[in-house]
Amino acid sequence: MAKFLKRIPLYPFLVAAYPVIFLLSENIHEIRPIAGLRSLLFFLVIAIAAFIFGRVITRDTRKGALVSLAAVLAFFLFFFVLYAPLYRGLREARLFGLELGRHTILVPLVGVFLLAITITAARLIARARGRLLSGATLLMNLVGLVLILIPTVSMLFYAFQQALSGRRAAAALPPVEQMLIAPEDRPDIYLIILDTHISDTAMLNLMGVADPEFSAALRQKGFFVAECGRSNYPSTQYALVSQLNLDYVPNLTGARDLKTLFQLMENNRVARSLADIGYKTYAFETGYKFTELKNVDTYLRPLSRATDLFTYPGVTQFESLLLRVSGGKILYETRDYLSDRMQYILDAPYVEYRDRILYDLQTLPQLAGQEGPKFVFAHILAPHSPFVFDSDGSLVNRRTPFALDSDPEGYDWYSYSDAYYNELIYVHARMLEVVDGILTQSETPPVIIIQGDHGIPRTESRGANYEIFNAIYIGGEDIQEAYDTISSVNSFRVVFNQVFNTAYPLLPDETYSYDTEKQEFHQFVSDFTCP
């Protein structure tokens, strides 16, 4: 092995791959490793080109590898560290009438510097002899292997922990408390979560606008729409785990880590109860790992193959992250000077995010035509920021690299309210089409829950981060146990009691925050925006 590492220089390619693998390991809880495929190939192509150039001018493989290492490191220095400061520093500088702070000037200039560094390195390395080359090759190969192994082991350890915690959590799942009694015609059940969707009353109080026509249209179709629906928790993880397991989180598990919560999400009581009476489960890719339930009978996503990701016509979400931590962020800062095609390429993560939502809205009605009773879970990340729809459905132009957890556009409350409302108007119009499609194509009148998972986080001081939209349809029947302040923990208790003859008592509608440092839940006792 030592002889091989002395003779064969692997390190230029290992070093070239390191930034991608490191970034993947740092974000493995949110993205799949395959997301870095194109970026990895891009950096490897640079390393291969540098290696071939070094091999040609030095006429030696090991010398050529050292030259390519110098070129790769110089490229990374400019790409990750120097390019952005250079661009900003030269924005106002002129030379012979030329404005230096332009990509058309700086990119060729950087290319010249890289070429000069490569040639200089080749001249210095040309004097190296056999023993020195063998030692340098062995040392650099070992360094490269260590660089790659650390993040790779981290990702493998994460996967092992996920599998191990999954088995442990599955063994400790809370039992199904009541067996469902299946009616003669088992209705399809749709749980459609519109992320961050607040009630009409809360929206009117917070923003001064609302879309009551949507609620009125649902009521006309037979929905019960709560005036002041509430979430039991101000975050997606706790809220959906609670809802899908028909109980508060502390009653389900003493653990608070997301791995355990994900097992409760993936193997929830609702799905298990329905599976016992012959239901098949459908779920969609969401772009948010916690709600991607891949163990279902049918998992739906618009880009399902590696080739889809590889041929995607623009920057992917991972590539956007890579640009954000490098000189590539300058492209976003100067997008007004770029061509329309280049702007579209930069906006591709937002387009992908948008296309995923459109795919869900298009596919949901089609599932009604599938044979057999089904439970469909669709977590749609709208009107959650980043906002990508205008009121007519057109794409909202973005000026910053893609981010899901917090909108990088830096909205103040008024701009946020306008963007939120515009997106909601479009989503409401499409949701009415979805409902009509489901109702038209369903042989048995279905059950449909359209609900927010939590309120708007930035309204925490007013208690509105618990206030949600909540609409329930049970075959067009009057819903016996529904009431205007119903919270999400009771949604399926109401449905199961009416449809499957269970006798779940309705739980008190309580709301809780979570202290991450103390790992404690604290009940919210202040006034709500919605009465």
Side-chain angles (χ1 to χ4, degrees):
M1 185 63 178
K3 290 183 179 179
F4 175 82
L5 293 178
K6 286 181 179 180
R7 291 175 49 248
I8 307 298
L10 303 174
Y11 58 87
F13 315 108
L14 297 175
V15 171
Y18 174 72
V20 174
I21 296 176
F22 172 77
L23 202 56
L24 284 171
S25 70
E26 289 293 294
N27 296 274
I28 192 62
H29 58 290
E30 295 179 358
I31 56 178
R32 295 180 293 160
I34 197 173
L37 177 61
R38 292 201 306 191
S39 302
L40 180 64
L41 290 176
F42 172 75
F43 287 135
L44 286 177
V45 165
I46 290 174
I48 290 169
F51 175 75
I52 292 173
F53 182 77
R55 175 68 178 79
V56 168
I57 62 176
T58 62
R59 298 181 181 181
D60 183 275
T61 299
R62 290 180 295 186
K63 292 179 181 180
L66 287 171
V67 171
S68 65
L69 176 64
V72 167
L73 291 177
F75 172 79
F76 285 161
L77 180 64
F78 278 102
F79 184 75
F80 287 103
V81 181
L82 297 180
Y83 189 84
L86 275 173
Y87 181 87
R88 295 191 187 103
L90 296 175
R91 284 295 294 271
E92 305 300 327
R94 290 181 176 272
L95 182 65
F96 304 119
L98 289 176
E99 185 179 330
L100 297 181
R102 301 179 62 182
H103 299 301
T104 53
I105 300 295
L106 276 181
V107 170
L109 190 61
V110 169
V112 170
F113 274 112
L114 290 176
L115 183 61
I117 290 170
T118 304
I119 293 174
T120 301
R123 289 182 175 179
L124 294 174
I125 292 166
R127 302 174 184 177
R129 294 294 177 262
R131 182 174 295 181
L132 179 61
L133 287 173
S134 295
T137 302
L138 174 62
L139 176 63
M140 296 310 301
N141 275 339
L142 291 175
V143 170
L145 287 170
V146 169
L147 280 176
I148 293 297
L149 279 174
I150 291 174
T152 301
V153 168
S154 175
M155 287 190 285
L156 292 173
F157 183 66
Y158 174 82
F160 173 76
Q161 280 188 316
Q162 288 289 94
L164 184 62
S165 64
R167 286 195 293 270
R168 288 175 178 171
L173 288 173
V176 173
E177 293 182 350
Q178 298 189 32
M179 297 299 295
L180 307 186
I181 300 174
E184 184 177 345
D185 294 320
R186 291 165 293 179
D188 292 342
I189 300 175
Y190 297 82
L191 174 60
I192 303 173
I193 300 296
L194 299 178
D195 202 301
T196 322
H197 193 327
I198 59 177
S199 67
D200 293 336
T201 308
M203 193 187 312
L204 189 61
N205 288 335
L206 289 167
M207 300 179 176
V209 293
D211 184 26
E213 289 81 6
F214 177 64
S215 297
L218 291 179
R219 290 189 177 103
Q220 191 173 21
K221 297 176 189 298
F223 278 78
F224 166 81
V225 181
E227 291 288 348
C228 298
R230 291 171 184 167
S231 174
N232 305 102
Y233 301 93
S235 65
T236 301
Q237 301 96 318
Y238 296 115
L240 291 186
V241 164
S242 175
Q243 178 177 9
L244 287 166
N245 287 282
L246 298 90
D247 209 341
Y248 289 94
V249 173
N251 297 333
L252 300 169
T253 177
R256 301 290 180 264
D257 60 285
L258 292 183
K259 294 173 186 175
T260 301
L261 289 176
F262 181 70
Q263 292 306 316
L264 290 170
M265 181 75 186
E266 197 171 42
N267 302 286
N268 61 80
R269 278 175 170 168
V270 169
R272 285 187 286 143
S273 297
L274 293 170
D276 287 342
I277 57 172
Y279 275 74
K280 300 296 184 183
T281 306
Y282 292 71
F284 291 83
E285 180 185 61
T286 65
Y288 176 49
K289 198 167 183 178
F290 187 84
T291 57
E292 293 186 330
L293 309 183
K294 298 180 181 179
N295 68 334
V296 296
D297 297 300
T298 302
Y299 182 66
L300 301 158
R301 57 187 179 188
L303 300 177
S304 58
R305 300 169 300 174
T307 51
D308 294 331
L309 180 64
F310 186 71
T311 58
Y312 191 75
V315 176
T316 66
Q317 293 185 21
F318 175 78
E319 291 159 359
S320 179
L321 173 63
L322 188 61
L323 290 174
R324 195 162 71 240
V325 299
S326 69
K329 60 179 173 284
I330 290 296
L331 293 173
Y332 293 94
E333 296 176 11
T334 60
R335 59 172 293 139
D336 290 344
Y337 301 98
L338 303 177
S339 67
D340 291 343
R341 175 61 181 165
M342 190 63 192
Q343 289 187 32
Y344 176 85
I345 289 172
L346 289 176
D347 283 339
Y350 293 108
V351 175
E352 180 186 2
Y353 176 84
R354 183 176 181 274
D355 286 349
R356 188 183 291 115
I357 295 170
L358 292 174
Y359 173 80
D360 293 356
L361 296 172
Q362 178 183 353
T363 306
L364 275 167
Q366 299 172 4
L367 297 180
Q370 299 293 319
E371 292 185 2
K374 61 192 73 69
F375 170 49
V376 180
F377 172 72
H379 176 207
I380 297 174
L381 289 168
H384 185 287
S385 62
F387 304 112
V388 290
F389 295 101
D390 208 341
S391 58
D392 61 357
S394 57
L395 176 65
V396 173
N397 290 326
R398 309 291 305 189
R399 305 186 62 82
T400 49
F402 182 86
L404 179 60
D405 292 336
S406 58
D407 197 307
E409 295 290 298
Y411 291 114
D412 60 24
W413 173 246
Y414 300 102
S415 299
Y416 178 94
S417 299
D418 289 343
Y420 178 98
Y421 179 72
N422 287 335
E423 178 155 294
L424 195 64
I425 292 296
Y426 176 72
V427 171
H428 279 174
R430 291 300 307 273
M431 280 305 305
L432 290 177
E433 294 176 6
V434 168
V435 169
D436 286 340
I438 292 173
L439 295 180
T440 300
Q441 299 187 52
S442 297
E443 293 184 6
T444 301
V447 172
I448 306 174
I449 300 174
I450 302 173
Q451 182 186 293
D453 52 349
H454 54 76
I456 299 174
R458 62 173 68 192
T459 63
E460 179 179 3
S461 62
R462 298 186 63 181
N465 55 332
Y466 296 98
E467 297 177 1
I468 60 171
F469 184 87
N470 196 347
I472 305 174
Y473 178 90
I474 303 181
E477 303 173 2
D478 289 336
I479 301 177
Q480 299 162 8
E481 297 179 291
Y483 51 98
D484 279 329
T485 56
I486 187 172
S487 66
S488 50
V489 73
N490 282 319
S491 293
F492 277 101
R493 287 177 174 257
V494 167
V495 169
F496 281 3
N497 288 348
Q498 185 157 333
V499 179
F500 300 108
N501 293 313
T502 56
Y504 281 107
L506 299 189
L507 300 177
D509 295 304
E510 298 172 344
T511 53
Y512 293 90
S513 62
Y514 182 63
D515 187 325
T516 54
E517 292 185 2
K518 296 182 179 178
Q519 296 189 344
E520 294 175 349
F521 288 103
H522 299 288
Q523 188 170 358
F524 177 79
V525 293
S526 300
D527 293 335
F528 291 92
T529 297
C530 189

